[in-house]
Amino acid sequence: MRVIVTGGSGRLGQFVVRELFTHAHQVSALDAVKPRECPCPTDVVDLTKVEPLLDRFKNVDAVIHLARVRFPYTESGFNAATQRWQFPDIAGDAARFNSNIAMTYNVLAAAQAAGVKKLVCGSSLAIYGLYYPLTDLQPDYLPIDETHPLRPQDPYGLSKVVGEKLCDGASQRGAMQIASLRFSGIYTEEHRGLLAERKKQPTLRGTGALWSYIDVRDAARACRLAIEANFTGHQAFNICAPDTIMDIPTRELASRYLAQVKDLREGLQGRSSGYSVAKAQALLGFTAKLLLAK
């Protein structure tokens, strides 16, 4: 397939480009900047403008939309002492939110106008509202599947809800197949030290991530499988490893840190993830392979 990757210069985007190349897809990328090394043709494009996309999406089979403006508070906004998230840059977050929504809408509109058949949008497990809450928010049940209510209070999580709603609308207007991939925290080898620190301090960044993770190479493979799979309409998928970063069984973690959650369902065994990956396994054939050692 001929595939365009937006955000192809980003951490995940570069791995997606390589993954597609190694599986015989014809790849090009769009981004605000070019990477140091360009493994594929890369155009510098302002995705908040729809006009540059209209011609570039012609004769394209699939688009993988990963471009975004990062919200700084997701890295540095947690106060471990109070166990609360802080959002000091209201104006900046509003601008980032607006830019990310504009990019997603423009990609969807241009892809639909060009007759693109398949589209993948990068989403996040933050969409459930547990990653960056302003209040003491708890899951309704564990493991969390794609039907769990979405209750984000923060700009990043809200941007993912709006993005997925845009995907819903686009899929209803035409025959385009759309996958929203709700990634957990994506790590590379340089993040192993941070994961080890979180393992020692289970509430270092709160409990909303439910100690989930995904290797960047597995995340890239999920993107490829999502354009190679066949299903109808817009579907959302949790994308994370089937286990946690912790040595402690997940039910024990829930008892310690999520005591208000009483609905612990089938599948929450051993060190299994608090986010269900059954749907991605069933519809995409995706199971993370690069798991952390115990």
Side-chain angles (χ1 to χ4, degrees):
M1 283 189 282
R2 185 183 175 200
V3 186
I4 286 183
V5 179
T6 74
S9 300
R11 183 173 65 194
L12 174 57
Q14 293 183 63
F15 279 87
V16 170
V17 166
R18 296 188 194 106
E19 173 74 14
L20 293 170
F21 264 134
T22 59
H23 287 80
H25 293 290
Q26 183 181 345
V27 192
S28 57
L30 306 177
D31 210 321
V33 296
K34 282 194 174 185
R36 294 176 185 174
E37 298 180 2
C38 292
C40 72
T42 301
D43 288 341
V44 175
V45 173
D46 180 0
L47 295 177
T48 65
K49 311 294 183 184
V50 72
E51 291 81 7
L53 303 179
L54 295 173
D55 285 336
R56 286 176 171 84
F57 283 3
K58 289 179 179 178
N59 302 314
V60 169
D61 301 301
V63 173
I64 298 177
H65 175 46
L66 303 176
R68 62 168 180 159
V69 180
R70 187 181 298 274
F71 289 82
Y73 72 80
T74 64
E75 297 293 331
S76 59
F78 189 68
N79 185 321
T82 63
Q83 290 288 294
R84 287 287 183 268
W85 288 89
Q86 300 170 331
F87 308 89
D89 188 8
I90 295 174
D93 284 344
R96 296 176 193 102
F97 179 94
N98 293 334
S99 292
N100 286 339
I101 296 306
M103 286 191 284
T104 299
Y105 182 85
N106 290 344
V107 167
L108 287 165
Q112 200 144 41
V116 173
K117 299 300 183 186
K118 296 184 177 183
L119 190 142
V120 172
C121 268
S123 189
S124 170
L125 294 180
I127 199 170
Y128 296 106
L130 304 171
Y131 267 55
Y132 313 112
L134 292 166
T135 60
D136 186 17
L137 195 62
Q138 300 282 315
D140 287 3
Y141 56 84
L142 294 173
I144 293 171
D145 60 20
E146 290 81 0
T147 65
H148 189 282
L150 310 178
R151 303 189 185 107
Q153 303 163 342
D154 65 290
Y156 176 57
L158 287 167
S159 75
K160 295 306 180 184
V161 172
V162 176
E164 290 198 13
K165 289 297 184 183
L166 292 175
C167 290
D168 282 338
S171 71
Q172 292 167 11
R173 291 195 303 270
M176 187 161 52
Q177 171 186 302
I178 305 175
S180 288
L181 302 186
R182 297 174 177 174
F183 294 109
S184 66
I186 297 172
Y187 86 93
T188 63
E189 287 302 313
E190 66 186 31
H191 297 103
R192 278 188 174 269
L194 178 59
L195 290 178
E197 193 65 24
R198 291 178 185 172
K199 187 174 180 178
K200 296 176 186 176
Q201 302 180 61
T203 60
L204 184 64
R205 284 170 56 86
T207 59
L210 302 177
W211 308 281
S212 63
Y213 69 98
I214 188 75
D215 185 286
V216 68
R217 293 162 291 182
D218 275 329
R221 189 164 56 84
C223 291
R224 174 179 61 80
L225 291 174
I227 63 166
E228 293 176 347
N230 294 305
F231 54 87
T232 58
H234 172 222
Q235 299 284 345
F237 302 92
N238 293 342
I239 302 295
C240 61
D243 61 358
T244 72
I245 64 173
M246 304 297 290
D247 296 329
I248 303 168
T250 307
R251 283 180 178 266
E252 185 176 336
L253 290 169
S255 177
R256 288 187 194 179
Y257 303 109
L258 302 165
Q260 297 176 27
V261 183
K262 303 301 182 184
D263 189 357
L264 303 182
R265 300 183 175 182
E266 185 179 354
L268 199 68
Q269 306 298 328
R271 296 171 50 250
S272 61
S273 174
Y275 290 95
S276 172
V277 293
K279 184 177 179 181
Q281 293 171 347
L283 292 188
L284 304 183
F286 172 76
T287 302
K289 297 179 178 179
L290 301 168
L291 308 184
L292 294 171
K294 292 184 182 180

